[in-house]
Amino acid sequence: MSASKEWFVLIEETDSIESEFVVSKTIPIDGGAEEAWDAALKAARTHELVPGSRTACAREIYRTPERVLRVVLRSEYGDIRESFRVSVAELVEVHEPPAPQESEESADRKGRLWRRSRA
């Protein structure tokens, strides 16, 4: 694993199909966990699910015991319009898929096809 950044802020939004939280954005952080938590709070204050929603709604930010920031956007009438969550994560590992290897059989077949097309 060779990652230039180790700490990230993750923004999770609900998908429209199953209403489960999925990561919608990752923000690499220069520094450690403290800098990442500062950036997470900033993201909780400023992230917009829908352009213009920041000014149209009240924003409530809650920190859960799991150290996740839950953000609730309320309309002027007090009903919940949107919500998302922001968390800090340390990148532990990255697994890249192996490079595809061309087998001898497929290389031979490509050669035969190329020769036929040139005839």
Side-chain angles (χ1 to χ4, degrees), residues 30 50 60 100 104:
D30 288 322
V50 178
E60 300 171 357
E104 289 181 31

PDB file of all heavy atoms in Angstrom, residues 30 50 60 100 104:
ATOM      1  N   ASP A  30      -4.513  16.650   4.876  1.00  0.00           N
ATOM      2  CA  ASP A  30      -3.099  16.790   5.231  1.00  0.00           C
ATOM      3  C   ASP A  30      -3.037  16.889   6.749  1.00  0.00           C
ATOM      4  O   ASP A  30      -3.667  17.763   7.336  1.00  0.00           O
ATOM      5  CB  ASP A  30      -2.496  18.056   4.615  1.00  0.00           C
ATOM      6  CG  ASP A  30      -2.300  17.927   3.114  1.00  0.00           C
ATOM      7  OD1 ASP A  30      -1.925  16.825   2.666  1.00  0.00           O
ATOM      8  OD2 ASP A  30      -2.530  18.916   2.411  1.00  0.00           O
ATOM      9  N   VAL A  50     -28.343  19.583  -1.982  1.00  0.00           N
ATOM     10  CA  VAL A  50     -28.994  20.225  -3.117  1.00  0.00           C
ATOM     11  C   VAL A  50     -28.480  21.664  -3.154  1.00  0.00           C
ATOM     12  O   VAL A  50     -28.482  22.327  -2.119  1.00  0.00           O
ATOM     13  CB  VAL A  50     -30.531  20.210  -2.941  1.00  0.00           C
ATOM     14  CG1 VAL A  50     -31.219  20.921  -4.082  1.00  0.00           C
ATOM     15  CG2 VAL A  50     -31.038  18.787  -2.783  1.00  0.00           C
ATOM     16  N   GLU A  60     -28.751  21.395  11.722  1.00  0.00           N
ATOM     17  CA  GLU A  60     -28.435  20.872  13.048  1.00  0.00           C
ATOM     18  C   GLU A  60     -27.343  19.822  12.889  1.00  0.00           C
ATOM     19  O   GLU A  60     -27.472  18.926  12.063  1.00  0.00           O
ATOM     20  CB  GLU A  60     -29.683  20.243  13.679  1.00  0.00           C
ATOM     21  CG  GLU A  60     -30.823  21.225  13.843  1.00  0.00           C
ATOM     22  CD  GLU A  60     -32.125  20.548  14.253  1.00  0.00           C
ATOM     23  OE1 GLU A  60     -32.162  19.300  14.363  1.00  0.00           O
ATOM     24  OE2 GLU A  60     -33.113  21.268  14.437  1.00  0.00           O
ATOM     25  N   PRO A 100      -4.425  -7.226 -15.971  1.00  0.00           N
ATOM     26  CA  PRO A 100      -4.850  -8.380 -16.781  1.00  0.00           C
ATOM     27  C   PRO A 100      -3.664  -8.933 -17.550  1.00  0.00           C
ATOM     28  O   PRO A 100      -2.856  -8.178 -18.088  1.00  0.00           O
ATOM     29  CB  PRO A 100      -5.907  -7.798 -17.717  1.00  0.00           C
ATOM     30  CG  PRO A 100      -5.704  -6.333 -17.701  1.00  0.00           C
ATOM     31  CD  PRO A 100      -5.031  -5.990 -16.411  1.00  0.00           C
ATOM     32  N   GLU A 104      -1.383 -17.051 -23.729  1.00  0.00           N
ATOM     33  CA  GLU A 104      -0.769 -17.370 -25.016  1.00  0.00           C
ATOM     34  C   GLU A 104      -1.841 -17.683 -26.049  1.00  0.00           C
ATOM     35  O   GLU A 104      -1.723 -17.306 -27.209  1.00  0.00           O
ATOM     36  CB  GLU A 104       0.175 -18.561 -24.856  1.00  0.00           C
ATOM     37  CG  GLU A 104       1.439 -18.224 -24.093  1.00  0.00           C
ATOM     38  CD  GLU A 104       2.353 -19.417 -23.969  1.00  0.00           C
ATOM     39  OE1 GLU A 104       2.343 -20.259 -24.893  1.00  0.00           O
ATOM     40  OE2 GLU A 104       3.067 -19.501 -22.969  1.00  0.00           O
TER      41      GLU A 104
END
